[in-house]
Amino acid sequence: MPTMLNRRDLIVSAAGLIASAPLAPALAAAMPDAAGTEAAALKDVAARRRLRFGTALSFGALTRDPAYAALVARQCGLLVAENEMKWQWLRPTPTTFAFDRFDAILGWGEAHGIAVRGHNLLWHQPKWLPAWLNAYDFGSAPHREAERLLTTHIDTVTRRYGTRIKSYDVVNEAVNPKDGTLYETSLSKALGGTEPTLDLAFHTARAAAPHAQLVYNDYMSWEPGNDAHRAGVLRLLEGFRRRGTPVDALGVQSHLITQGLPTASHVAALEGPWRAFLDAVTHMGYVLVVTELDVRDNMLPADIAVRDRGVAEFTRAYLDVTLAYPQLTDVLCWGLADRHSWIEGFEPRRDRAPRRPTLYDTALQPKPMRAAVAAALATAPIRTG
Ligand code: G3I
């Protein structure tokens, strides 16, 4: 393993001298080439620092793309079902569960010796709950019925999988990024508020799966425009602690967005507020999990070499800052190859050039982002806990 400069070292050594210089020349010297790092699986690079590396995987990708599944099996020590544990997939009706697709992903992970996380037990936004639940008639005792529905769901899922799943995103994205307030849903309205609803979800998960790491998962990030979102998440995490809600970790989704080719001064400006946020979270005793890493290549030219370089540098800078926290032990990408990323379908580029948000291209060839992740994992402080 070649000796590599840490991104922070680069920033510090450059301070005041090349404050607005492009990162590329310095980083190029610090990053191994993609082919060189491809020799070692990312799960093994991570394991040397006592970290775990993994990805989201969908049932469709698993069953229809064997080459991709083989890549995931080679590179990953950790998996999460991209959609198949969500209420929208798991709960076709108020009285039924559809476990087949999630079971298939879990079984495949186990057959390949890969741990599987649970995502998620409650995505607390009407947009992502099943239509039947948004329109549900809670009857004459709405509080009791909402409590029954929510606890039955969490009990049924967590007891079915027992110790096969050791970490759950119990609650996903309950904070409105616009103003940091909490979303309401049909459940929270019936239960008399969002905080009691989220608390109930965590208490139910702790009782049914006492062995499991319980995570609050959200996409507050380090780019400008995330202040209200970060503040809202901090308020929520403080409330959990104050009320004794059993939450172990913050899932830091890490859907990064470039704003052009990153420069040293740009990265330094992002780093301050991001560290302040992570400091506050870890001082409250929360563990950190990077749960959904990928990059929207905004404000970068269509030219693939330039774009990939910008994405790689931004990812490296972000991971170096974030992996400096010893409370962070798991890094998961939200898809490993561009042909299985949600981003193209949800948010295509303005110039319509295909998005390049992940570590491997559409032909499953490693990209500079893969080398950046490998280098960040390889140079992360060794976890001692
Ligand atoms: O399954 C149907 C398919 O039958 C149909 O042909 C197709 C036509 O549009 O739609 C398919 O379902 C879509 C599904 O993705 C699979 O592609 C859903 O409409 C679409 O809503 C769903 O989007 C998922 C989204 O969460 C909402 O659940 C994305 O795949 C998934 O990547 C995304 O993941 C979220 C995390 O759970 C939470 N954090 C943010 C992250 C990205 O948005």
Side-chain angles (χ1 to χ4, degrees):
M1 187 66 55
T3 308
M4 280 164 278
L5 281 177
N6 183 286
R7 166 110 294 294
R8 279 183 59 74
D9 298 338
L10 292 172
I11 293 166
V12 170
S13 66
L17 293 173
I18 54 165
S20 60
L23 285 175
L27 198 59
M31 285 215 300
D33 64 284
T37 54
E38 178 66 3
L42 289 164
K43 65 179 177 189
D44 297 330
V45 176
R48 283 181 207 130
R49 320 306 277 183
R50 301 206 186 94
L51 286 156
R52 291 190 300 179
F53 174 82
T55 187
L57 178 65
S58 71
F59 178 76
L62 173 62
T63 52
R64 293 198 289 270
D65 192 346
Y68 179 69
L71 175 73
V72 170
R74 271 199 309 280
Q75 299 296 329
C76 295
L78 195 53
L79 273 187
V80 62
E82 183 169 354
N83 291 308
E84 292 75 2
M85 191 182 264
K86 297 170 183 172
W87 282 66
Q88 280 184 331
W89 270 256
L90 214 55
R91 298 299 303 276
T93 73
T95 51
T96 54
F97 287 79
F99 288 116
D100 326 15
R101 284 168 294 188
F102 183 78
D103 284 354
I105 294 173
L106 178 58
W108 183 86
E110 289 175 339
H112 290 81
I114 308 175
V116 179
R117 301 192 65 243
H119 170 84
N120 52 66
L121 297 175
L122 178 62
W123 190 340
H124 199 255
Q125 287 179 44
K127 187 178 174 188
W128 302 118
L129 288 171
W132 67 257
L133 183 54
N134 289 327
Y136 195 72
D137 177 3
F138 289 88
S140 58
H143 188 287
R144 194 157 2 111
E145 177 59 4
E147 186 174 311
R148 188 196 65 77
L149 261 181
L150 181 58
T151 57
T152 301
H153 180 84
I154 293 177
D155 256 338
T156 306
V157 176
T158 53
R159 290 188 196 280
R160 176 182 179 87
Y161 296 115
T163 54
R164 297 168 73 190
I165 295 187
K166 297 186 172 57
S167 175
Y168 283 98
D169 294 333
V170 176
V171 174
N172 190 54
E173 299 172 25
V175 175
N176 185 336
K178 290 201 181 88
D179 56 9
T181 57
L182 297 176
Y183 289 111
E184 289 278 6
T185 61
S186 61
L187 283 171
S188 67
K189 284 179 191 150
L191 273 160
T194 298
E195 288 177 348
T197 306
L198 308 188
D199 288 354
L200 178 63
F202 280 105
H203 280 293
T204 307
R206 176 58 26 105
H211 63 278
Q213 177 192 55
L214 305 185
V215 180
Y216 173 72
N217 190 47
D218 211 331
Y219 62 90
M220 67 286 129
S221 191
W222 77 336
E223 295 88 359
N226 277 268
D227 305 300
H229 200 176
R230 287 194 300 262
V233 169
L234 282 184
R235 274 195 301 277
L236 180 64
L237 295 180
E238 281 157 11
F240 286 148
R241 283 291 180 257
R242 214 172 36 246
R243 300 189 299 276
T245 313
V247 184
D248 303 311
L250 174 65
V252 181
Q253 292 186 6
S254 309
H255 294 292
L256 307 181
I257 305 177
T258 56
Q259 288 111 51
L261 282 169
T263 63
S265 62
H266 173 53
V267 167
L270 302 184
E271 183 177 348
W274 186 236
R275 290 183 68 85
F277 173 73
L278 295 180
D279 285 347
V281 173
T282 51
H283 285 156
M284 284 188 262
Y286 290 102
V287 164
L288 302 171
V289 185
V290 167
T291 48
E292 306 185 10
L293 175 68
D294 58 20
V295 183
R296 264 163 278 178
D297 49 12
N298 289 5
M299 296 171 72
L300 290 174
D303 181 275
I304 285 177
V306 178
R307 200 146 44 108
D308 281 358
R309 172 149 222 98
V311 166
E313 289 174 0
F314 199 60
T315 306
R316 177 77 200 270
Y318 173 79
L319 284 180
D320 280 346
V321 173
T322 309
L323 281 166
Y325 287 80
Q327 296 88 347
L328 171 56
T329 54
D330 296 332
V331 175
L332 291 108
C333 296
W334 206 243
L336 218 51
D338 294 345
R339 71 189 193 203
H340 290 295
S341 169
W342 66 287
I343 292 178
E344 187 64 47
F346 278 69
E347 210 179 301
R349 275 174 65 95
R350 287 196 183 148
D351 62 8
R352 298 286 149 176
R355 289 279 194 185
R356 297 179 63 82
T358 72
L359 280 59
Y360 289 82
D361 68 14
T362 47
L364 304 186
Q365 292 306 302
K367 293 156 53 185
M369 184 181 172
R370 199 260 181 212
V373 171
L377 292 170
T379 54
I382 295 178
R383 271 52 187 160
T384 53

